[in-house]
Amino acid sequence: MTTESVNTSYTNPQLTTENGLNQTQWPLAIRGLGKMLSYLFHPLFIPTYFFLYLMQFYSFEFAGITDWQLKLRLFGVFWMTAFFPAFAVFLLWRLKFSSGIFLRTQKERIVPYIITMFFYWWMHYLSRNFPDQPAVLKFFYTGIFICSVAGLLANNSYKISMHAMGAGGFAAAIILTSFHYQHTDGISISIAVLLAGLICTARLVLKEHSLKEVYTGLAAGVICQLLSYYFVM
């Protein structure tokens, strides 16, 4: 067998791109894992996960609040930052304003961005005007509100990754929270950074975004939290 025949019978497994999108056919198990990560760490769930993190590791911030009241607050965070925005997307789909709930085009993302901005702004307002809120929620909610604005602006040019923005913002918030309380929380920081990498990789494996859309989304999430921490805290 000649070298030429060997080369023609060999399929190159390296990444190829078309319009910046990953064209590699990943194994079914890897794509399934990518979908699971995308669902579990959808950007709408990030505020709820961050609140759970505060409940677990900074419970002193909720001194004087009963367990029932704390659960109600957690439910309120989920209700305002996840359920209502998701329900709005569902209504847009049922009313034929979008082709599905996955928002795969820039046009379909405009209204959901605006709706999400409203709820994030409301959470920012509550955190700034009610003294019984944990201090770090002030910069966190401000950061995700700014990030949603940045996402809407970027959406005019390309489909920036919402998942990457959420993952980057969550990792940055964990690091900044540890810095704010002077608490060395290496395990939580490591997990948050690892999750950010896995989530971004999942979006590439599923061919939902190009490298540019993922990298800029990740950078936007981190930068918005940093700016918010600098100006709010």
Side-chain angles (χ1 to χ4, degrees):
M1 182 179 293
T2 64
T3 303
E4 181 179 356
S5 62
V6 172
N7 288 339
T8 56
S9 64
Y10 174 74
T11 302
N12 191 339
Q14 292 182 349
L15 298 180
T16 57
T17 58
E18 181 179 318
N19 297 326
L21 290 177
N22 177 10
Q23 297 299 307
T24 301
Q25 285 297 327
W26 294 93
L28 182 61
I30 293 180
R31 284 183 279 132
L33 181 60
K35 287 185 179 181
M36 184 183 71
L37 285 170
S38 296
Y39 293 146
L40 287 177
F41 298 100
H42 191 281
L44 291 181
F45 297 150
I46 295 301
T48 302
Y49 290 151
F50 185 69
F51 196 87
L52 279 169
Y53 169 73
L54 294 180
M55 288 173 56
Q56 180 67 32
F57 294 98
Y58 300 95
S59 57
F60 59 85
E61 282 281 21
F62 303 98
I65 300 176
T66 65
D67 289 340
W68 175 247
Q69 290 174 326
L70 192 55
K71 290 177 181 178
L72 286 178
R73 289 198 180 190
L74 175 63
F75 177 77
V77 171
F78 174 80
W79 194 252
M80 295 295 291
T81 61
F83 177 80
F84 278 129
F87 185 66
V89 171
F90 175 78
L91 287 180
L92 290 172
W93 169 51
R94 298 307 298 167
L95 293 173
K96 309 299 182 184
F97 288 106
S98 65
S99 59
I101 61 174
F102 296 105
L103 308 176
R104 288 195 166 96
T105 66
Q106 293 168 238
K107 183 178 179 180
E108 291 177 338
R109 293 176 171 225
I110 296 175
V111 176
Y113 263 123
I114 295 173
I115 293 172
T116 304
M117 283 167 51
F118 169 78
F119 286 108
Y120 285 175
W121 175 86
W122 180 245
M123 297 304 289
H124 151 78
Y125 174 82
L126 293 178
S127 67
R128 295 293 300 275
N129 290 276
F130 286 84
D132 59 347
Q133 297 284 333
V136 293
L137 285 179
K138 296 179 181 180
F139 85 80
F140 176 72
Y141 286 136
T142 304
I144 60 175
F145 169 70
I146 296 173
C147 196
S148 64
V149 175
L152 178 61
L153 295 176
N155 189 66
N156 293 322
S157 302
Y158 61 97
K159 195 180 72 170
I160 188 171
S161 173
M162 296 178 177
H163 280 80
M165 287 193 292
F170 181 71
I174 295 294
I175 295 171
L176 291 170
T177 298
S178 179
F179 176 79
H180 176 74
Y181 290 112
Q182 297 296 302
H183 175 232
T184 305
D185 193 4
I187 295 178
S188 297
I189 292 174
S190 299
I191 292 174
V193 173
L194 177 61
L195 281 176
L198 291 174
I199 293 167
C200 291
T201 302
R203 304 311 289 166
L204 295 173
V205 167
L206 296 174
K207 304 178 185 179
E208 295 288 349
H209 292 283
S210 67
L211 286 171
K212 173 186 175 182
E213 292 164 352
V214 169
Y215 287 158
T216 54
L218 186 65
V222 172
I223 292 172
C224 287
Q225 287 295 324
L226 289 172
L227 289 174
S228 178
Y229 184 86
Y230 179 78
F231 287 106
V232 172
M233 300 303 289

